Amino acid sequence: MPRTKKSKDTKSTDTKDAGSSAVRNRQHKSTAKTDGYGPGTTEQLQTQPTERGAVQSPQIPGNVIKKLVAFSVTLLIAPILTYFLSLNFVFAGSTTPAAITAAVTANIVLAAYVYAAWVEESDDNSSYSKRKSD
Protein backbone atom coordinates (compact mmCIF):
# COMPACT_ATOMS: atom_id res chain seq x y z
CA MET A 1 0.00 0.00 0.00
CA PRO A 2 1.35 3.39 -0.82
CA ARG A 3 1.86 5.70 2.09
CA THR A 4 0.18 9.03 2.07
CA LYS A 5 1.66 12.07 3.67
CA LYS A 6 -0.17 13.59 6.58
CA SER A 7 -1.08 17.18 6.32
CA LYS A 8 0.25 19.66 8.85
CA ASP A 9 -3.20 20.03 10.40
CA THR A 10 -3.45 16.32 11.23
CA LYS A 11 0.02 16.27 12.75
CA SER A 12 -0.67 19.24 15.02
CA THR A 13 -3.97 17.67 16.17
CA ASP A 14 -2.14 14.43 17.08
CA THR A 15 0.39 16.41 19.10
CA LYS A 16 -2.33 18.31 20.93
CA ASP A 17 -4.16 15.08 21.79
CA ALA A 18 -0.99 13.50 23.18
CA GLY A 19 -0.25 16.58 25.25
CA SER A 20 -3.75 16.85 26.69
CA SER A 21 -3.76 13.16 27.69
CA ALA A 22 -0.47 13.68 29.51
CA VAL A 23 -1.99 16.59 31.41
CA ARG A 24 -5.06 14.50 32.28
CA ASN A 25 -2.83 11.67 33.53
CA ARG A 26 -0.86 14.11 35.68
CA GLN A 27 -4.04 15.57 37.15
CA HIS A 28 -5.42 12.10 37.86
CA LYS A 29 -2.27 11.07 39.73
CA SER A 30 -2.14 14.26 41.78
CA THR A 31 -5.71 13.94 43.05
CA ALA A 32 -5.67 10.19 43.76
CA LYS A 33 -7.04 9.25 47.15
CA THR A 34 -5.04 7.21 49.62
CA ASP A 35 -6.34 3.91 50.90
CA GLY A 36 -5.60 4.62 54.56
CA TYR A 37 -2.25 2.83 54.50
CA GLY A 38 -0.23 5.62 52.90
CA PRO A 39 1.78 8.36 54.56
CA GLY A 40 -1.00 10.93 54.70
CA THR A 41 -4.34 12.18 53.55
CA THR A 42 -5.33 13.25 50.08
CA GLU A 43 -4.91 16.92 50.97
CA GLN A 44 -1.35 16.32 52.15
CA LEU A 45 -0.37 14.33 49.06
CA GLN A 46 -1.69 16.65 46.36
CA THR A 47 1.00 18.02 44.13
CA GLN A 48 1.06 21.34 42.36
CA PRO A 49 2.18 21.86 38.78
CA THR A 50 5.15 24.16 38.34
CA GLU A 51 5.34 27.05 35.90
CA ARG A 52 6.57 24.73 33.15
CA GLY A 53 3.84 22.15 33.78
CA ALA A 54 5.98 19.55 35.59
CA VAL A 55 4.50 18.05 38.75
CA GLN A 56 6.49 18.37 41.97
CA SER A 57 6.52 15.67 44.61
CA PRO A 58 4.97 16.46 48.01
CA GLN A 59 7.14 18.30 50.52
CA ILE A 60 8.34 16.43 53.63
CA PRO A 61 7.99 18.51 56.82
CA GLY A 62 11.22 19.58 58.50
CA ASN A 63 10.31 18.05 61.86
CA VAL A 64 10.05 14.62 60.21
CA ILE A 65 13.55 14.95 58.75
CA LYS A 66 14.96 16.13 62.10
CA LYS A 67 13.36 13.18 63.89
CA LEU A 68 14.72 10.72 61.32
CA VAL A 69 18.24 12.13 61.60
CA ALA A 70 18.12 12.13 65.41
CA PHE A 71 17.00 8.51 65.57
CA SER A 72 19.54 7.48 62.91
CA VAL A 73 22.41 9.02 64.85
CA THR A 74 21.12 7.45 68.07
CA LEU A 75 20.85 4.07 66.35
CA LEU A 76 24.46 4.42 65.23
CA ILE A 77 25.99 5.60 68.51
CA ALA A 78 23.93 4.01 71.31
CA PRO A 79 24.62 0.32 70.59
CA ILE A 80 28.36 0.88 70.10
CA LEU A 81 28.59 2.95 73.25
CA THR A 82 26.54 0.38 75.18
CA TYR A 83 28.74 -2.46 73.93
CA PHE A 84 32.01 -0.91 75.02
CA LEU A 85 30.68 0.43 78.32
CA SER A 86 29.15 -2.92 79.28
CA LEU A 87 32.25 -4.79 78.05
CA ASN A 88 34.61 -2.75 80.22
CA PHE A 89 32.53 -1.94 83.30
CA VAL A 90 29.70 -4.49 83.63
CA PHE A 91 30.77 -7.82 82.15
CA ALA A 92 34.55 -7.52 82.67
CA GLY A 93 35.71 -8.50 79.18
CA SER A 94 32.98 -11.02 78.29
CA THR A 95 31.97 -10.13 74.72
CA THR A 96 28.79 -12.21 74.35
CA PRO A 97 26.73 -10.47 77.07
CA ALA A 98 28.08 -7.09 75.90
CA ALA A 99 26.96 -7.85 72.33
CA ILE A 100 23.53 -8.92 73.56
CA THR A 101 23.27 -5.64 75.48
CA ALA A 102 24.15 -3.70 72.32
CA ALA A 103 21.54 -5.62 70.29
CA VAL A 104 18.87 -4.93 72.92
CA THR A 105 19.82 -1.24 72.86
CA ALA A 106 19.45 -1.13 69.08
CA ASN A 107 16.02 -2.74 69.32
CA ILE A 108 14.93 -0.24 71.99
CA VAL A 109 15.96 2.70 69.78
CA LEU A 110 14.14 1.17 66.81
CA ALA A 111 11.00 0.55 68.89
CA ALA A 112 11.14 4.15 70.15
CA TYR A 113 11.26 5.42 66.55
CA VAL A 114 8.28 3.28 65.55
CA TYR A 115 6.34 4.53 68.59
CA ALA A 116 7.22 8.17 67.82
CA ALA A 117 6.06 7.73 64.21
CA TRP A 118 2.86 6.02 65.38
CA VAL A 119 2.03 8.84 67.80
CA GLU A 120 2.81 11.48 65.19
CA GLU A 121 0.57 9.76 62.63
CA SER A 122 -2.33 9.47 65.08
CA ASP A 123 -1.94 13.16 65.94
CA ASP A 124 -2.01 14.03 62.23
CA ASN A 125 -5.10 11.89 61.63
CA SER A 126 -6.99 13.36 64.60
CA SER A 127 -6.21 16.93 63.53
CA TYR A 128 -7.32 16.05 59.99
CA SER A 129 -10.64 14.65 61.21
CA LYS A 130 -11.20 17.79 63.32
CA ARG A 131 -10.56 20.02 60.29
CA LYS A 132 -12.82 17.93 58.13
CA SER A 133 -15.73 18.18 60.60
CA ASP A 134 -15.40 21.98 60.89
Side-chain angles (χ1 to χ4, degrees), residues 71 108-120:
F71 275 101
I108 290 171
V109 172
L110 184 61
Y113 178 71
V114 169
Y115 177 75
W118 183 295
V119 169
E120 180 179 312

Side-chain angles (χ1 to χ4, degrees), residues 48-131:
Q48 299 296 324
T50 60
E51 294 173 6
R52 295 182 183 180
V55 177
Q56 293 179 341
S57 61
Q59 296 294 321
I60 299 173
N63 63 341
V64 172
I65 299 296
K66 289 177 186 176
K67 188 179 295 185
L68 178 64
V69 169
F71 275 101
S72 297
V73 169
T74 305
L75 190 59
L76 176 70
I77 294 173
I80 296 170
L81 186 64
T82 303
Y83 174 78
F84 285 110
L85 289 176
S86 64
L87 180 67
N88 293 327
F89 298 112
V90 178
F91 298 115
S94 181
T95 58
T96 302
I100 292 171
T101 306
V104 168
T105 303
N107 284 309
I108 290 171
V109 172
L110 184 61
Y113 178 71
V114 169
Y115 177 75
W118 183 295
V119 169
E120 180 179 312
E121 183 176 308
S122 66
D123 289 345
D124 289 345
N125 288 341
S126 65
S127 65
Y128 173 70
S129 63
K130 286 179 185 176
R131 282 185 291 167

Side-chain angles (χ1 to χ4, degrees), residues 8-57:
K8 290 182 181 181
D9 295 336
T10 307
K11 188 174 183 180
S12 65
T13 305
D14 291 342
T15 306
K16 287 179 185 177
D17 290 341
S20 63
S21 66
V23 170
R24 272 187 263 125
N25 288 340
R26 240 186 271 133
Q27 290 172 348
H28 174 69
K29 288 178 184 177
S30 67
T31 58
K33 294 187 177 185
T34 61
D35 57 2
Y37 297 104
T41 62
T42 305
E43 289 177 359
Q44 293 170 339
L45 294 178
Q46 287 182 347
T47 56
Q48 299 296 324
T50 60
E51 294 173 6
R52 295 182 183 180
V55 177
Q56 293 179 341
S57 61

